């Protein structure tokens, strides 16, 4: 009994010693609550950061989706532009060929054609002019603008300085030459065998009227229509239609 009591007493002493040691160890340990609160705060901040990252990630995903759509649209646009560029390159090539070759060829052809037309026009004009003009000192030619140039004794004179009959000679010669050239150049025209002349002998002398007869015969046309107040013309035409005007009304008085 005594031995048992001693054993218990010793065990108790040991336990008390261990308890004091544990109490000493516990007294040396820091309070865990501040660290726990700090960890909780740190976790809370991390959760907020995680949430913000999730929001940013969703925004980035949306941006990536939109950019993918934009890239697809731009890719299609690039394909269209490449097609247009190819077409433009072809057109530029055609344009270069037109400017460097075809246009120059056209200009050359046109120049030769216009030279030929001018030569024909000028020859016909001078032929009719020389027949109709009474004054042998007055000559005329067609310049590069297809305008008549009048010269007297080698000096150019203004058209307005000519007399009435001389002006009519120029106008009639020009009209006849123009009619011939147009009919020769424009092959589809349907007025090759007819010409209408309105007062073609205004201011002509009797001798010039006789020359008009020669000119009309040289034209060798199937039909020539003359509108004139000159009675002498009636002597070298086949059909005469007289028209009388009373007030504002014109009527045929003979045929």
């Amino acid at each position: 009994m005594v031995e048992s009591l001693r054993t218990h007493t010793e065990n108790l002493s040991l336990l008390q010693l261990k308890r004091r040691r544990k109490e000493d160890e516990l007294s040396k340990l820091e309070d865990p609550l501040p660290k726990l609160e700090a960890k909780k705060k740190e976790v809370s901040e991390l959760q907020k950061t995680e949430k913000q990252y999730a929001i940013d990630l969703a925004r980035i995903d949306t941006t990536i989706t939109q950019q993918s759509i934009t890239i697809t649209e731009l890719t299609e646009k690039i394909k269209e532009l490449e097609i247009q560029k190819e077409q433009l390159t072809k057109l530029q090539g055609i344009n270069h060929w037109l400017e460097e070759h075809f246009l120059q060829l056209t200009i050359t052809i046109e120049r030769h054609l216009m030279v030929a037309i001018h030569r024909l026009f000028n020859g016909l004009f001078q032929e009719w002019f020389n027949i109709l003009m009474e004054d042998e000192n007055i000559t005329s030619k067609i310049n590069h603008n297809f305008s008549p140039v009048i010269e007297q004794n080698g000096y150019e004179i203004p058209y307005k300085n000519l007399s009435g009959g001389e002006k009519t000679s120029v106008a009639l010669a020009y009209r006849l030459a123009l009619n011939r050239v147009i009919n020769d150049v424009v092959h589809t025209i349907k007025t090759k065998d007819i010409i209408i002349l309105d007062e073609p002998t205004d201011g002509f002398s009797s001798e010039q009227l006789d020359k008009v007869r020669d000119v009309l015969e040289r034209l060798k046309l199937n039909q020539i229509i003359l509108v004139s107040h000159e009675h002498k013309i009636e002597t070298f035409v086949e059909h005469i239609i007289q028209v009388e005007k009373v007030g504002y009304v014109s009527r045929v008085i003979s045929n």
Side-chain angles (χ1 to χ4, degrees):
M1 183 73 174
V2 173
E3 186 67 26
S4 177
L5 179 62
R6 185 181 298 115
T7 301
H8 283 298
T9 301
E10 291 176 356
N11 290 336
L12 179 61
S13 296
L14 289 172
L15 287 173
Q16 288 176 345
L17 180 60
K18 288 182 179 180
R19 181 176 63 81
R20 284 193 296 272
R21 288 178 179 174
K22 291 297 181 182
E23 287 177 349
D24 290 340
E25 290 177 0
L26 286 173
S27 63
K28 294 178 180 179
L29 291 176
E30 295 181 4
D31 188 358
L33 289 177
K35 287 186 176 181
L36 181 61
E37 292 298 327
K39 291 295 182 182
K40 287 183 179 179
K41 186 176 181 181
E42 184 179 350
V43 169
S44 178
E45 293 297 328
L46 289 173
Q47 288 175 339
K48 290 181 181 179
T49 303
E50 182 184 11
K51 185 177 180 180
Q52 185 61 46
Y53 282 166
I55 294 172
D56 293 342
L57 181 60
R59 185 182 299 112
I60 291 172
D61 287 339
T62 302
T63 302
I64 291 174
T65 301
Q66 292 176 345
Q67 302 238 346
S68 297
I69 296 173
T70 303
I71 289 172
T72 301
E73 292 176 350
L74 289 175
T75 302
E76 294 298 324
K77 187 65 176 178
I78 289 172
K79 290 180 180 179
E80 293 178 4
L81 290 175
E82 287 176 347
I83 294 174
Q84 292 178 7
K85 180 182 177 180
E86 184 179 351
Q87 294 175 344
L88 179 60
T89 302
K90 290 181 180 179
L91 289 176
Q92 288 175 337
I94 294 173
N95 184 66
H96 176 76
W97 181 82
L98 288 174
E99 290 183 349
E100 296 297 324
H101 301 286
F102 183 76
L103 184 59
Q104 296 302 321
L105 177 61
T106 302
I107 292 174
T108 301
I109 294 174
E110 181 181 3
R111 185 183 296 116
H112 286 292
L113 179 61
M114 292 306 295
V115 168
I117 291 175
H118 181 272
R119 186 182 299 112
L120 175 61
F121 198 120
N122 185 61
L124 291 169
F125 173 76
Q126 289 182 325
E127 178 184 353
W128 304 130
F129 180 86
N130 292 334
I131 294 175
L132 296 170
M133 182 61 64
E134 287 185 310
D135 190 342
E136 296 181 355
N137 294 321
I138 297 178
T139 60
S140 184
K141 62 182 178 181
I142 299 296
N143 65 12
H144 65 282
N145 290 323
F146 286 83
S147 298
V149 176
I150 313 300
E151 294 181 349
Q152 186 173 30
N153 296 322
Y155 295 96
E156 185 175 338
I157 60 174
Y159 175 79
K160 64 181 181 179
N161 291 347
L162 299 176
S163 66
E166 291 169 345
K167 291 179 180 178
T168 301
S169 296
V170 174
L172 181 56
Y174 195 95
R175 173 67 178 85
L176 295 176
L178 179 63
N179 179 75
R180 170 70 179 278
V181 169
I182 290 176
N183 281 285
D184 285 354
V185 174
V186 184
H187 299 290
T188 58
I189 198 167
K190 298 181 180 180
T191 58
K192 295 182 182 295
D193 293 324
I194 183 173
I195 187 172
I196 301 175
L197 301 174
D198 186 11
E199 297 291 349
T201 61
D202 186 30
F204 273 10
S205 64
S206 179
E207 291 76 10
Q208 284 180 298
L209 289 174
D210 291 333
K211 293 180 179 180
V212 171
R213 180 200 299 270
D214 297 334
V215 169
L216 296 179
E217 290 178 353
R218 291 192 184 191
L219 292 177
K220 296 181 180 179
L221 297 174
N222 291 336
Q223 188 174 20
I224 300 174
I225 300 176
L226 301 175
V227 179
S228 177
H229 292 83
E230 180 58 55
H231 293 291
K232 189 172 185 178
I233 289 182
E234 297 179 5
T235 61
F236 51 84
V237 297
E238 295 180 1
H239 303 285
I240 301 173
I241 299 177
Q242 294 183 343
V243 179
E244 180 183 48
K245 188 172 184 179
V246 179
Y248 296 98
V249 179
S250 299
R251 63 187 182 90
V252 177
I253 58 177
S254 65
N255 189 350

